[in-house]
Amino acid sequence: MAGERLLMRKLREILRLKWECRLPHRKIALAAGAGLGTVSEYVARASAAGLSWPLPEDLDDAGLEQLLFPRATVGGESRSIPDWVWVHNELKRKHVTLMLLWSEYAQAHTADHICYSQFCARYRDWAARLKPTMRQVHHGGEKAFVDFSGDGPTLVDPVTGQRQEIELFVGVAGASGLVYAEATMDQQLESWIGAHVRMFETWGGAPEQLIPDNTKTAVTKTCRYEPEVHRSYGEMATHYGAVVIPARSRRPRDKAKVEGAVLLAQRWILACLRNHTCFSLGELNVAIVELTDRMNRKPMRMIGRSRLELFEELDRPQLKPLPSNRYELGDWKFCRVSIDYHIELEHNVYSVPYALIHERVDVRLTAAVIEIFHNGRRVTSHARLRGRGKASTQPEHMPASHRAHAEWTPSRLISWAEKSGPATGRMVDQIMRLRPHPEMGFRSCLGLLRLGQKHGAARLEAACVRAERLAGFSYKTVKNILGSGLDRVPIVDDGASTVLPDHENIRGADYFAPEEGEC
């Protein structure tokens, strides 16, 4: 099509030189860069069509061609033009190529078909006008395009020698085209976000927008108008003052920058590493950094300047400064608060305020901390527990009755009991000592507390003195003494020891001595 446009311009110039300038055909041929025979033929065709100079204003190139060449010719031979709409639709079908379509077209028009190169050129010119492409202009520091390369580098296990293909993360600055590349073990969330953080730190700042494709680590729900960004990914972007704007699904032109950067990374990094054996991720990334730096410093053919020079001039001054603290990856989960005002995570339990019983809460898990949110408000946090079957309970999360019970300890119980008197303190101490575990005596001790509240500290102390004399170290003994009023009866103690009277039924120690000859 471009050749035909050039032909029409040359035809108009030939007619102008002939009828307006009145030059001979030989000079017209030299001025227009055409053959003498071509000039004669064009002038003859125009005269036969009844044209004169100036040409009619409403006569466009298509109309002029139709007047002079009723059927298009190449080398004087007529030709059939393919149905470009049919070609375009057929190319959308799997495995269909231009060569196949041209072969079918040539078989159908054996005598007047155009050659394969003309077939391809004409179709591309037609398709270019079918859907114009908007040229995107990226401002400095505005956008960073990110993606994983389809092909990745390879690691070798130093023990087994087994080769493992891993992933290559690629990011590119929008204005300068500076490329960042890093090898990761997988495409999981931790690798995805970690690569972003290290890219920002390498660049010394963060862009305003992040443009990923619709990978699961970036977008949890694809939608043309309202895609749902992964919560942790969006949180990371917010931490650095950026926003995530995913490219439309199956629209590679939305992220043409990173598509080109991926191609560069494959050609200038992966291809250069094809004969390089790496045994660890760190060793591989050292090599990738060197190759990426070499690529970014190389002057671009069309511009004459390197990507690094453009980055220092365009992008770096406009990047947002990095925050003081590095982003710490947190995974989000949803939990429902149990009736015991705890949530269960990874086989351990964590308390929340008891008012949230049966409520649904959001939980953010980092390497060291568990944060719990309700309706977007942070309600508490815990140190993350390792292992299984452990519990983290904060006293302020308990109801008042539970908190009062949980705050009792052996030393606190004894200290409280001694306020009523030393006998009460000794009673509490003995109650806990006589149990296999002190906690098993807490209920009995709290029972004594209630007896003191009911009968008073003085009566409780007197009851404990009497129970101690009887060696009855239990809640029931003290309760029975108070209930029968024995705590008010003085204890008689004359200090004399009891002497047993002589009696025939009292045998004595000699009775149990062995007789002679017995063992």
Side-chain angles (χ1 to χ4, degrees):
M1 301 298 284
E4 290 183 0
R5 289 193 294 271
L6 179 61
L7 177 65
M8 289 299 102
R9 287 198 300 271
K10 187 175 292 188
L11 173 58
R12 289 177 182 270
E13 180 65 8
I14 289 173
L15 296 181
R16 185 185 71 84
L17 294 175
K18 172 65 179 177
W19 289 334
E20 183 177 324
C21 299
R22 300 183 181 279
L23 295 178
H25 288 187
R26 193 172 299 278
K27 289 187 177 181
I28 294 175
L30 291 174
L36 181 61
T38 300
V39 172
S40 299
E41 181 185 358
Y42 286 179
V43 171
R45 285 177 176 271
S47 300
L51 294 176
S52 61
W53 194 262
L55 298 175
E57 292 183 358
D58 58 348
L59 183 64
D60 57 10
D61 288 346
L64 180 61
E65 183 181 21
Q66 185 64 30
L67 282 174
L68 302 187
F69 307 97
R71 294 194 66 182
T73 63
V74 174
E77 182 178 349
S78 62
R79 56 189 176 174
S80 297
I81 305 302
D83 182 359
W84 299 121
V85 176
W86 172 80
V87 172
H88 185 69
N89 290 331
E90 286 296 306
L91 281 175
K92 295 179 182 180
R93 300 173 65 178
K94 195 172 183 179
H95 307 309
V96 175
T97 64
L98 282 171
M99 174 60 77
L100 174 64
L101 297 178
W102 176 81
S103 300
E104 295 175 355
Y105 154 75
Q107 290 176 3
H109 303 84
T110 306
D112 59 350
H113 66 272
I114 60 177
C115 66
Y116 174 67
S117 60
Q118 281 291 314
F119 181 88
C120 294
R122 286 171 175 262
Y123 167 73
R124 292 191 180 105
D125 285 340
W126 178 87
R129 296 194 305 272
L130 181 66
K131 188 175 182 180
T133 301
M134 182 182 71
R135 183 175 180 83
Q136 299 184 31
V137 179
H138 306 300
H139 303 289
E142 180 185 28
K143 296 177 182 178
F145 299 84
V146 290
D147 199 0
F148 279 110
S149 170
D151 299 323
T154 302
L155 283 182
V156 177
D157 191 310
V159 178
T160 64
Q162 185 177 0
R163 304 180 71 86
Q164 177 187 3
E165 186 170 322
I166 59 176
E167 303 296 334
L168 183 68
F169 171 87
V170 179
V172 57
S176 62
L178 186 82
V179 177
Y180 175 85
E182 175 186 334
T184 62
M185 294 302 298
D186 49 46
Q187 294 190 13
Q188 298 302 313
L189 184 66
E190 184 175 359
S191 299
W192 172 254
I193 291 184
H196 279 75
V197 172
R198 289 184 287 274
M199 179 178 70
F200 297 155
E201 292 173 350
T202 300
W203 289 354
E208 296 177 6
Q209 302 175 21
L210 292 171
I211 315 296
D213 62 2
N214 285 266
T215 177
K216 284 291 184 181
T217 49
V219 179
T220 56
K221 184 178 180 181
T222 58
C223 177
R224 180 181 178 90
Y225 304 105
E226 293 183 352
E228 186 174 318
V229 177
H230 193 289
R231 188 166 185 177
S232 296
Y233 187 42
E235 184 183 58
M236 182 277 298
T238 302
H239 181 81
Y240 289 100
V243 61
V244 178
I245 303 179
R248 293 174 296 173
S249 180
R250 299 180 181 179
R251 294 294 186 274
R253 288 177 181 172
D254 287 4
K255 53 184 180 68
K257 275 279 186 181
V258 74
E259 295 290 341
V262 165
L263 185 61
L264 285 173
Q266 291 172 348
R267 291 177 175 176
W268 292 98
I269 298 177
L270 296 183
C272 294
L273 292 173
R274 68 190 185 281
N275 297 322
H276 188 75
T277 302
C278 293
F279 299 100
S280 68
L281 189 64
E283 178 188 356
L284 177 59
N285 274 322
V286 169
I288 290 176
V289 168
E290 294 176 357
L291 293 171
T292 305
D293 185 64
R294 183 193 305 174
M295 179 177 62
N296 286 328
R297 291 180 182 276
K298 183 179 180 181
M300 291 180 284
R301 184 180 303 172
M302 299 297 295
I303 302 178
R305 302 180 65 189
S306 69
R307 293 176 176 83
L308 183 59
E309 290 175 338
L310 293 176
F311 177 78
E312 296 292 345
E313 178 183 332
L314 301 175
D315 282 309
R316 191 187 292 278
Q318 304 300 325
L319 292 175
K320 294 177 178 289
L322 297 177
S324 57
N325 57 319
R326 193 183 198 191
Y327 174 75
E328 184 179 8
L329 175 62
D331 192 13
W332 287 89
K333 294 186 177 180
F334 301 105
C335 295
R336 186 145 328 250
V337 181
S338 180
I339 193 171
D340 63 353
Y341 48 88
H342 284 71
I343 60 172
E344 182 177 355
L345 285 169
E346 299 175 338
H347 307 288
N348 296 312
V349 294
Y350 303 87
S351 67
V352 299
Y354 72 93
L356 297 179
I357 289 176
H358 299 312
E359 292 290 331
R360 182 177 176 179
V361 293
D362 300 331
V363 184
R364 183 175 185 267
L365 299 86
T366 67
V369 178
I370 299 290
E371 296 180 285
I372 303 173
F373 298 79
H374 181 251
N375 292 334
R377 182 176 63 88
R378 184 176 181 270
V379 293
T380 188
S381 65
H382 295 264
R384 188 167 183 174
L385 300 175
R386 301 298 177 183
R388 300 167 68 97
K390 298 180 181 179
S392 176
T393 304
Q394 298 181 8
E396 59 269 22
H397 295 162
M398 301 178 175
S401 58
H402 292 199
R403 185 163 58 249
H405 185 275
E407 289 174 351
W408 290 110
T409 62
S411 59
R412 187 177 177 209
L413 284 169
I414 295 172
S415 178
W416 163 82
E418 288 177 343
K419 293 179 181 179
S420 297
T424 308
R426 292 192 298 271
M427 176 64 66
V428 167
D429 185 35
Q430 286 298 319
I431 287 175
M432 290 187 289
R433 284 180 182 274
L434 294 174
R435 302 309 197 270
H437 298 285
E439 290 79 3
M440 297 174 68
F442 278 12
R443 284 182 176 271
S444 298
C445 296
L446 292 174
L448 293 181
L449 168 64
R450 290 186 176 265
L451 291 176
Q453 293 173 347
K454 180 178 180 180
H455 300 285
R459 290 194 63 188
L460 177 61
E461 175 67 12
C464 288
V465 169
R466 184 171 289 273
E468 190 177 18
R469 291 289 296 262
L470 299 173
F473 299 104
S474 68
Y475 162 77
K476 287 186 177 180
T477 301
V478 177
K479 180 182 178 183
N480 291 336
I481 291 173
L482 290 170
S484 61
L486 289 176
D487 59 293
R488 294 190 174 95
V489 177
I491 299 176
V492 178
D493 186 5
D494 55 5
S497 60
T498 304
V499 180
L500 294 176
D502 292 334
H503 194 276
E504 61 181 0
N505 290 332
I506 299 177
R507 298 170 179 174
D510 295 338
Y511 177 82
F512 297 97
E515 295 183 3
E516 189 175 345
E518 294 182 351
C519 295

